[in-house]
Amino acid sequence: MSGPDPVRAAADGGGAGAATAGVGPSGTGTAGAAAADGGAAADSAAEADAWGVARAGTGRARTRTSGACPGPAGEGTGRPGRAGAAPRAVDGSTAPADGGGAGGRGGGLPAAVLFDRDDTLVVDVPYNGDPERVRLMPGARAAVRLLRARGVPVGVVSNQSGIGRGLLTEAAVREVNAQVDALLGRPLDVWVHCPHVPEDGCACRKPAPGLVLRAAAALGVTAERCVVIGDIGADMGAARAAGARGVLVPTTRTLPAEVAEAPDVCRDLLSAVRHVLGRPSTVRRPA
């Protein structure tokens, strides 16, 4: 990665108070994302009328918030970046089709699904503050559509230490987030990010639980009924610390040890969402 230090931008976050974020300019995802979305046409067809203000199936008004985490008050750790660390092959059995092992820790549909941003929902561009450089990961749009069709709230929990390093502004992070919303068709239910550097020792920077706890509170649900989907060990650590369920979707930069330690591992984003919804998908669980 480029940048002044080796800390991976994908494990970073930022934001300013609890403020409503606008939707950025409309755009389109990559060809890969479009192709993956096309394969999920049957899944997204049920979303025919899910563009209103109320969440499908709940009758509850949509919660649309974007905010920074609280100030330093706990533990936070960083992890050096690395390139070319290929993940282990992911093998496993088929998840039960009726919620067995799916959803949050209690089974059934999750109360919310919280995604990491960089290298999970969007292609990682280190310390990116330019909305024009935002590209969705393959399957991201289809995965979010599937959750919306089932009435499951969707949010993002993201470390953005570029703010604390002076490489990004709060406004730039919000503009990038708004562009992600635009590429996904409409705003996600909640965005929460941490602007701190590891040395700040905050309680919100993943793998600390603060971002997950705050997002769950903003949505009016318990963290234990949430699922966190991300690409690195810090995402799984934050889920575990908050009492949520973690699902790892490895990339070429995910360490083999992180794959081995993850509670569930899915090959791609859409498979991960199908898994947490109790649909058949290939998943590796710990022995």
Side-chain angles (χ1 to χ4, degrees):
M1 64 166 283
S2 60
D5 85 42
V7 177
R8 179 181 167 196
D12 297 336
T20 301
V23 178
S26 60
T28 57
T30 61
D37 290 352
D43 288 329
S44 60
E47 196 194 15
D49 222 31
W51 296 87
V53 173
R55 284 207 291 262
T58 66
R60 182 189 302 175
R62 180 178 307 280
T63 301
R64 171 62 180 136
T65 63
S66 173
C69 49
E75 295 183 359
T77 58
R79 180 165 59 77
R82 69 272 176 198
R88 241 176 20 188
V90 179
D91 298 308
S93 58
T94 298
D98 192 25
R105 292 206 175 274
L109 284 180
V113 171
L114 306 174
F115 292 98
D116 171 54
R117 194 189 76 176
D118 302 308
D119 258 359
T120 299
L121 273 184
V122 302
V123 177
D124 181 31
V125 177
Y127 306 126
N128 182 33
D130 181 2
E132 296 302 316
R133 301 181 71 187
V134 175
R135 297 292 182 271
L136 294 177
M137 290 287 279
R141 187 182 292 109
V144 171
R145 282 177 179 166
L146 183 54
L147 290 166
R148 286 171 168 166
R150 297 295 297 273
V152 177
V154 181
V156 168
V157 289
S158 175
N159 293 345
Q160 294 295 327
S161 73
I163 297 172
R165 301 175 196 279
L167 304 174
L168 291 171
T169 65
E170 298 281 359
V173 169
R174 289 194 297 272
E175 288 173 3
V176 167
N177 293 346
Q179 178 68 351
V180 179
D181 278 337
L183 293 175
L184 291 172
R186 60 185 170 94
L188 299 182
D189 297 289
V190 64
W191 285 84
V192 183
H193 54 265
C194 169
H196 305 118
V197 297
E199 296 76 17
D200 286 339
C202 67
C204 45
R205 177 181 169 83
K206 295 178 294 185
L211 294 179
V212 177
L213 295 173
R214 177 163 180 172
L219 292 169
V221 302
T222 63
E224 291 79 8
R225 294 289 298 135
C226 293
V227 174
V228 177
I229 298 178
D231 67 305
I232 61 174
D235 301 316
M236 301 301 97
R240 182 170 55 251
R245 180 170 186 172
V247 178
L248 186 74
V249 179
T251 69
T252 57
R253 288 187 288 183
T254 309
L255 295 175
E258 294 174 324
V259 175
E261 294 168 3
D264 287 345
V265 181
C266 290
R267 297 179 185 275
D268 54 56
L269 199 57
L270 187 55
S271 294
V273 166
R274 285 175 172 154
H275 169 57
V276 302
L277 292 177
R279 298 189 176 197
S281 60
T282 300
V283 60
R284 181 195 65 72
R285 295 193 180 94

